[in-house]
Amino acid sequence: MGSRHLSRSIAMQSLYEWDFYGKRPEDLEKIVEKNIKEFGAGMEKIEFVWQIIKGVIEHMAQIDKIIEKSAPEWPIDQITIIDRNVLRIGLYELIYENKEEVPPKVAINEAIELAKTFGGDSSGKFINGVLGTIYKTIDIKEEGEVK
């Protein structure tokens, strides 16, 4: 498993756990540190884990609004916790990450792989459908500006 993929997996597991236990801000750092220690032992660069975590948290309100617009039949609290956090990571990378570092197709493919690994039988298709729709229908102008 590549280092960046492992970082995304740890970020997803941490966001899942944080979300599951009520999204208490004071718990997030401990959860991430525990998961890095447990799943990322020997990882050389843990900065990417934190970059994803901090980016998702910073932009969560905007990301959740985009998810709700793009999947109106699935209110955010009715999407499984795994799928919800995979979508958050995928959208963070799709919209806010440096496109040279994480091209849109890489962001989408990585999210689909996370969904297939951690989610249910239809998670990969669901993530692909939502992120694919968003990628085709939104105009990603500058960092953080989605039309």
Side-chain angles (χ1 to χ4, degrees), residues 52-118:
I52 293 169
I53 296 285
K54 289 175 181 174
V56 168
I57 299 303
E58 180 181 335
H59 300 288
M60 189 177 292
Q62 300 100 307
I63 289 170
D64 285 356
K65 283 180 189 169
I66 294 167
I67 293 169
E68 287 178 338
K69 269 193 215 171
S70 303
E73 62 283 354
W74 289 98
I76 199 81
D77 61 340
Q78 290 183 13
I79 298 172
T80 67
I81 298 175
I82 294 278
D83 291 354
R84 178 168 59 228
N85 286 291
V86 170
L87 282 171
R88 287 172 174 156
I89 291 170
L91 278 172
Y92 164 71
E93 289 197 297
L94 187 62
I95 297 167
Y96 300 102
E97 270 293 339
N98 178 335
K99 305 301 175 266
E100 291 176 18
E101 201 174 301
V102 183
K105 290 186 186 210
V106 170
I108 293 169
N109 286 335
E110 284 290 329
I112 292 167
E113 289 306 312
L114 286 175
K116 287 179 181 177
T117 301
F118 296 103

Side-chain angles (χ1 to χ4, degrees), residues 94 108 130-139:
L94 187 62
I108 293 169
V130 174
L131 292 181
T133 297
I134 292 168
Y135 179 65
K136 289 176 194 164
T137 59
I138 62 172
D139 184 13

Side-chain angles (χ1 to χ4, degrees), residues 40-53:
M43 267 182 68
E44 289 180 26
K45 295 185 178 183
I46 61 167
E47 297 85 19
F48 191 55
V49 174
W50 284 109
Q51 183 177 329
I52 293 169
I53 296 285

Side-chain angles (χ1 to χ4, degrees), residues 25-41:
E26 65 272 15
D27 294 343
L28 184 60
E29 189 172 335
K30 288 182 274 188
I31 289 169
V32 176
E33 290 294 340
K34 174 186 67 83
N35 287 331
I36 288 171
K37 190 174 181 181
E38 185 174 339
F39 303 113

Side-chain angles (χ1 to χ4, degrees), residues 14-32:
S14 299
L15 288 168
Y16 169 88
E17 187 174 340
W18 181 69
D19 195 350
F20 183 84
Y21 288 111
K23 295 192 280 192
R24 294 188 347 216
E26 65 272 15
D27 294 343
L28 184 60
E29 189 172 335
K30 288 182 274 188
I31 289 169
V32 176

